[in-house]
mmCIF file with all atom_site columns, all heavy atoms in Angstrom:
data_model
loop_
_atom_site.group_PDB
_atom_site.id
_atom_site.type_symbol
_atom_site.label_atom_id
_atom_site.label_alt_id
_atom_site.label_comp_id
_atom_site.label_asym_id
_atom_site.label_entity_id
_atom_site.label_seq_id
_atom_site.pdbx_PDB_ins_code
_atom_site.Cartn_x
_atom_site.Cartn_y
_atom_site.Cartn_z
_atom_site.occupancy
_atom_site.B_iso_or_equiv
_atom_site.pdbx_formal_charge
_atom_site.auth_seq_id
_atom_site.auth_comp_id
_atom_site.auth_asym_id
_atom_site.auth_atom_id
_atom_site.pdbx_PDB_model_num
ATOM 1  N N   . SER A 1 205 ? 69.654 -112.257 25.955 1.00 0.00 ? 1568 SER A N   1
ATOM 2  C CA  . SER A 1 205 ? 70.907 -112.621 26.576 1.00 0.00 ? 1568 SER A CA  1
ATOM 3  C C   . SER A 1 205 ? 70.863 -114.026 27.200 1.00 0.00 ? 1568 SER A C   1
ATOM 4  O O   . SER A 1 205 ? 69.792 -114.606 27.433 1.00 0.00 ? 1568 SER A O   1
ATOM 5  C CB  . SER A 1 205 ? 71.255 -111.643 27.701 1.00 0.00 ? 1568 SER A CB  1
ATOM 6  O OG  . SER A 1 205 ? 70.305 -111.788 28.782 1.00 0.00 ? 1568 SER A OG  1
ATOM 7  N N   . ALA A 1 206 ? 72.045 -114.589 27.421 1.00 0.00 ? 1569 ALA A N   1
ATOM 8  C CA  . ALA A 1 206 ? 72.157 -115.908 28.096 1.00 0.00 ? 1569 ALA A CA  1
ATOM 9  C C   . ALA A 1 206 ? 71.581 -115.798 29.499 1.00 0.00 ? 1569 ALA A C   1
ATOM 10 O O   . ALA A 1 206 ? 70.978 -116.777 29.989 1.00 0.00 ? 1569 ALA A O   1
ATOM 11 C CB  . ALA A 1 206 ? 73.578 -116.320 28.127 1.00 0.00 ? 1569 ALA A CB  1
ATOM 12 N N   . MET A 1 207 ? 71.721 -114.656 30.165 1.00 0.00 ? 1570 MET A N   1
ATOM 13 C CA  . MET A 1 207 ? 71.175 -114.525 31.500 1.00 0.00 ? 1570 MET A CA  1
ATOM 14 C C   . MET A 1 207 ? 69.656 -114.684 31.479 1.00 0.00 ? 1570 MET A C   1
ATOM 15 O O   . MET A 1 207 ? 69.073 -115.343 32.345 1.00 0.00 ? 1570 MET A O   1
ATOM 16 C CB  . MET A 1 207 ? 71.547 -113.198 32.093 1.00 0.00 ? 1570 MET A CB  1
ATOM 17 C CG  . MET A 1 207 ? 70.913 -112.914 33.438 1.00 0.00 ? 1570 MET A CG  1
ATOM 18 S SD  . MET A 1 207 ? 71.315 -114.096 34.757 1.00 0.00 ? 1570 MET A SD  1
ATOM 19 C CE  . MET A 1 207 ? 72.976 -113.565 35.148 1.00 0.00 ? 1570 MET A CE  1
ATOM 20 N N   . GLN A 1 208 ? 69.000 -114.069 30.506 1.00 0.00 ? 1571 GLN A N   1
ATOM 21 C CA  . GLN A 1 208 ? 67.535 -114.173 30.449 1.00 0.00 ? 1571 GLN A CA  1
ATOM 22 C C   . GLN A 1 208 ? 67.128 -115.593 29.985 1.00 0.00 ? 1571 GLN A C   1
ATOM 23 O O   . GLN A 1 208 ? 66.075 -116.108 30.433 1.00 0.00 ? 1571 GLN A O   1
ATOM 24 C CB  . GLN A 1 208 ? 66.974 -113.114 29.471 1.00 0.00 ? 1571 GLN A CB  1
ATOM 25 C CG  . GLN A 1 208 ? 67.139 -111.708 29.991 1.00 0.00 ? 1571 GLN A CG  1
ATOM 26 C CD  . GLN A 1 208 ? 66.545 -111.531 31.366 1.00 0.00 ? 1571 GLN A CD  1
ATOM 27 O OE1 . GLN A 1 208 ? 65.403 -111.808 31.620 1.00 0.00 ? 1571 GLN A OE1 1
ATOM 28 N NE2 . GLN A 1 208 ? 67.359 -111.017 32.286 1.00 0.00 ? 1571 GLN A NE2 1
ATOM 29 N N   . TRP A 1 209 ? 67.917 -116.187 29.112 1.00 0.00 ? 1572 TRP A N   1
ATOM 30 C CA  . TRP A 1 209 ? 67.623 -117.554 28.672 1.00 0.00 ? 1572 TRP A CA  1
ATOM 31 C C   . TRP A 1 209 ? 67.669 -118.559 29.818 1.00 0.00 ? 1572 TRP A C   1
ATOM 32 O O   . TRP A 1 209 ? 66.791 -119.395 29.949 1.00 0.00 ? 1572 TRP A O   1
ATOM 33 C CB  . TRP A 1 209 ? 68.578 -117.924 27.586 1.00 0.00 ? 1572 TRP A CB  1
ATOM 34 C CG  . TRP A 1 209 ? 68.403 -119.278 26.903 1.00 0.00 ? 1572 TRP A CG  1
ATOM 35 C CD1 . TRP A 1 209 ? 69.165 -120.379 27.143 1.00 0.00 ? 1572 TRP A CD1 1
ATOM 36 C CD2 . TRP A 1 209 ? 67.439 -119.682 25.953 1.00 0.00 ? 1572 TRP A CD2 1
ATOM 37 N NE1 . TRP A 1 209 ? 68.743 -121.418 26.382 1.00 0.00 ? 1572 TRP A NE1 1
ATOM 38 C CE2 . TRP A 1 209 ? 67.691 -121.007 25.624 1.00 0.00 ? 1572 TRP A CE2 1
ATOM 39 C CE3 . TRP A 1 209 ? 66.386 -119.014 25.316 1.00 0.00 ? 1572 TRP A CE3 1
ATOM 40 C CZ2 . TRP A 1 209 ? 66.884 -121.722 24.698 1.00 0.00 ? 1572 TRP A CZ2 1
ATOM 41 C CZ3 . TRP A 1 209 ? 65.601 -119.706 24.416 1.00 0.00 ? 1572 TRP A CZ3 1
ATOM 42 C CH2 . TRP A 1 209 ? 65.848 -121.047 24.107 1.00 0.00 ? 1572 TRP A CH2 1
ATOM 43 N N   . ASN A 1 210 ? 68.714 -118.413 30.647 1.00 0.00 ? 1573 ASN A N   1
ATOM 44 C CA  . ASN A 1 210 ? 68.960 -119.399 31.698 1.00 0.00 ? 1573 ASN A CA  1
ATOM 45 C C   . ASN A 1 210 ? 68.414 -119.021 33.062 1.00 0.00 ? 1573 ASN A C   1
ATOM 46 O O   . ASN A 1 210 ? 68.173 -119.853 33.924 1.00 0.00 ? 1573 ASN A O   1
ATOM 47 C CB  . ASN A 1 210 ? 70.460 -119.641 31.834 1.00 0.00 ? 1573 ASN A CB  1
ATOM 48 C CG  . ASN A 1 210 ? 71.040 -120.291 30.582 1.00 0.00 ? 1573 ASN A CG  1
ATOM 49 O OD1 . ASN A 1 210 ? 70.500 -121.247 30.055 1.00 0.00 ? 1573 ASN A OD1 1
ATOM 50 N ND2 . ASN A 1 210 ? 72.125 -119.698 30.070 1.00 0.00 ? 1573 ASN A ND2 1
ATOM 51 N N   . GLY A 1 211 ? 68.227 -117.704 33.302 1.00 0.00 ? 1574 GLY A N   1
ATOM 52 C CA  . GLY A 1 211 ? 67.840 -117.221 34.631 1.00 0.00 ? 1574 GLY A CA  1
ATOM 53 C C   . GLY A 1 211 ? 66.343 -117.203 34.839 1.00 0.00 ? 1574 GLY A C   1
ATOM 54 O O   . GLY A 1 211 ? 65.567 -117.396 33.923 1.00 0.00 ? 1574 GLY A O   1
#
Side-chain angles (χ1 to χ4, degrees):
S1568 67
M1570 175 60 77
Q1571 293 305 306
W1572 182 256
N1573 295 312

